[in-house]
Amino acid sequence: MNIYPVILSGGSGTRLWPLSRSVLPKQLLPLVSGNTMLQDTVLRVADWPEMQAPLIVCGNEHRFLVAEQMRQIGIAPAGILLEPEGRNTAPAVAVAALYLRAIDPDAVMLVLPADHVIQDVAAFKQAVMLAARPAEDGSLVTFGIVPTRPETGYGYIRRGGELSGTDRAFTVEEFVEKPDLVKAKQFVDDGRYSWNSGMFLFRASTYLDELRTLQPEMAAACEKAVAEAYTDMTFCRLQEENYAKCPSDSIDYAVMERTSRAVVVPADIGWSDVGSWSALSDVQAPDAHGNVIRGDVYADGVENSLIRSESRFVAVIGLENVIVVETKDAVLVTSKDQVQRVKQVVEYLKDNNRCEHLNHTKVYRPWGSYEPIDAGGRFQVKRITVNPGEKLSLQMHHHRAEHWVVVTGTARVTNGEEVRLLTENESIYIPIGNTHRLENPGMVPLHLIEVQSGSYLGEDDIVRFEDVYKRA
């Protein structure tokens, strides 16, 4: 049996602000290990003999980060499907199923969100192998997490009878919405309820058959979006207009709660969807005081807390059950029992037209990154890093001039009709209106300081004439 991991890498992770931002959401961050959550999800199943190359579904704005993170771990995906806009999980799984069915008509899909933690990988593999037979026989299998506490933040699955000829695979009797605490305690005591993990195993053809029956409009829109998809570099772009017409719905609401083919395999695998800062604290090993500490932190008389510093020295004294997260442009301090209110901060930032929910101060681009250092009325200073072999677009600015100073590495600079090589401590001036390009022809990263000056310094003052990344 060939199993294809389908990794759903959408979403913005607002509940893990200020670390998770719209342009750099939690699945693309190293929150638990040295790898990002996306990388951990892919590597978790990469060495299983049954597993084929992963198929990743993500948004257009994350495409280069996803591709780079796969390159870093030496994984060549079966494809990276780009959603022109998020339409929830049911359409995302549908386009993945259509893509895989064209490669392998008998493809079995293991659908995995990119931002989950699974601590017992051996138990997870055992659960997947238990689910394989009913999946091959035409069931839509979901993995129900054996509850460890009365949790009100998850939906639940009530199982029915055990399928004949299987080992701990059960019919699904009911999907239950997130309960209040009283009901959650009843569910745990009952013993037939599992947390709804959002992970699935089924044949691509089975899912598509059910989708056509239960959601014909969604199925038709997804089929057209894939039929008219086109290649952009190494990415597969879904046809924008057809995908935009697709109804937005979750796989649970659209299919699993309506199908007669739903099967659940209970799994005790150390799972978490890392949906809040307190949940992230729970999946990491604490110190002797119950604290999870990362970065340059001084803690005195602190217990049962998560303290994370990204750029500065942080001191916390005499507190219990708190979350403290520092980044270069924002600091979050909250008690553990109030972490669900973090998303209100994100809404405040949106409503007030701020940018701290969108980007970090360090902004990643397909060629490297840049980071503001200083700014004034008519000037701005940035630190720019260009990766080996990469180059910026051939471009021009209407309102600003630029001065580049090479710190380390070698730069090839196009400045109007002139092309020059610059090395350490050399500089060049780019006048307003000059067509220019910056390249790194070397084998090591290029670091330089850019000084912008002019009447308008916004990032939208760029006219691109040529771009290897095919950006507008």
Side-chain angles (χ1 to χ4, degrees), residues 266-294:
D268 188 2
I269 56 177
W271 172 91
S272 173
D273 68 350
V274 195
S276 67
W277 282 111
S278 58
L280 179 62
S281 177
D282 291 341
V283 298
Q284 298 182 83
D287 63 17
H289 301 284
N291 298 319
V292 174
I293 293 176
R294 184 163 175 172

Side-chain angles (χ1 to χ4, degrees), residues 199-277:
M199 301 186 296
F200 306 92
L201 186 75
F202 39 66
R203 286 189 182 276
S205 57
T206 303
Y207 180 75
L208 293 171
D209 287 345
E210 288 297 278
L211 194 70
R212 291 188 189 103
T213 300
L214 300 170
Q215 303 288 341
E217 183 183 355
M218 182 184 295
C222 289
E223 286 172 351
K224 290 179 181 178
V226 173
E228 298 178 26
Y230 55 99
T231 300
D232 178 359
M233 301 178 68
T234 58
F235 308 105
C236 177
R237 287 189 177 275
L238 301 169
Q239 203 279 333
E240 291 84 351
E241 184 177 348
N242 286 315
Y243 200 67
K245 294 177 181 177
C246 182
S248 177
D249 209 347
S250 71
I251 186 173
D252 287 332
Y253 289 140
V255 177
M256 296 302 293
E257 294 186 8
R258 303 184 182 191
T259 182
S260 60
R261 298 185 179 189
V263 169
V264 61
V265 171
D268 188 2
I269 56 177
W271 172 91
S272 173
D273 68 350
V274 195
S276 67
W277 282 111

Side-chain angles (χ1 to χ4, degrees), residues 21-324:
R21 311 278 175 107
S22 178
V23 175
L24 193 64
K26 70 172 182 175
Q27 66 267 22
L28 302 179
L29 294 169
L31 294 179
V32 179
S33 71
N35 295 318
T36 68
M37 300 193 77
L38 170 64
Q39 290 172 328
D40 277 341
T41 301
V42 171
L43 290 172
R44 191 174 293 135
V45 300
D47 61 349
W48 299 5
E50 303 81 7
M51 289 295 164
Q52 307 303 303
L55 177 64
I56 302 173
V57 184
C58 69
N60 177 66
E61 66 275 19
H62 301 144
R63 65 194 188 280
F64 292 112
L65 286 168
V66 168
E68 172 61 17
Q69 291 191 6
M70 292 301 97
R71 186 199 65 79
Q72 290 172 355
I73 59 175
I75 296 291
I80 300 177
L81 303 185
L82 303 182
E83 292 184 288
E85 56 184 274
R87 308 306 291 160
N88 216 315
T89 54
V93 174
V95 295
L98 289 161
Y99 187 92
L100 289 176
R101 192 187 59 176
I103 298 173
D104 180 355
D106 297 321
V108 175
M109 308 167 57
L110 177 61
V111 179
L112 302 173
D115 56 358
H116 289 186
V117 168
I118 294 175
Q119 296 174 311
D120 192 339
V121 177
F124 177 52
K125 182 176 182 180
Q126 183 181 28
V128 172
M129 294 302 105
L130 289 175
R133 180 173 176 181
E136 280 197 299
D137 291 342
S139 295
L140 301 175
V141 184
T142 185
F143 297 93
I145 304 303
V146 177
T148 57
R149 61 187 182 276
E151 174 62 55
T152 60
Y154 300 143
Y156 285 71
I157 303 169
R158 184 171 74 237
R159 66 175 183 262
E162 189 169 8
L163 289 181
S164 61
T166 67
D167 184 11
R168 291 192 58 74
F170 302 85
T171 60
V172 172
E173 199 168 272
E174 185 183 11
F175 285 85
V176 183
E177 293 295 319
K178 297 175 183 178
D180 58 27
L181 185 58
V182 172
K183 285 188 177 180
K185 290 179 179 178
Q186 292 173 353
F187 292 167
V188 174
D189 293 340
D190 183 283
R192 293 178 297 161
Y193 289 82
S194 303
W195 291 337
N196 188 351
S197 71
M199 301 186 296
F200 306 92
L201 186 75
F202 39 66
R203 286 189 182 276
S205 57
T206 303
Y207 180 75
L208 293 171
D209 287 345
E210 288 297 278
L211 194 70
R212 291 188 189 103
T213 300
L214 300 170
Q215 303 288 341
E217 183 183 355
M218 182 184 295
C222 289
E223 286 172 351
K224 290 179 181 178
V226 173
E228 298 178 26
Y230 55 99
T231 300
D232 178 359
M233 301 178 68
T234 58
F235 308 105
C236 177
R237 287 189 177 275
L238 301 169
Q239 203 279 333
E240 291 84 351
E241 184 177 348
N242 286 315
Y243 200 67
K245 294 177 181 177
C246 182
S248 177
D249 209 347
S250 71
I251 186 173
D252 287 332
Y253 289 140
V255 177
M256 296 302 293
E257 294 186 8
R258 303 184 182 191
T259 182
S260 60
R261 298 185 179 189
V263 169
V264 61
V265 171
D268 188 2
I269 56 177
W271 172 91
S272 173
D273 68 350
V274 195
S276 67
W277 282 111
S278 58
L280 179 62
S281 177
D282 291 341
V283 298
Q284 298 182 83
D287 63 17
H289 301 284
N291 298 319
V292 174
I293 293 176
R294 184 163 175 172
D296 191 6
V297 172
Y298 170 85
D300 180 11
V302 178
E303 295 183 354
N304 302 318
S305 298
L306 182 148
I307 309 169
R308 185 168 181 136
S309 168
E310 296 295 310
S311 66
R312 286 170 285 184
F313 174 71
V314 172
V316 181
I317 301 172
L319 297 178
E320 297 181 11
N321 301 309
V322 297
I323 303 292
V324 179

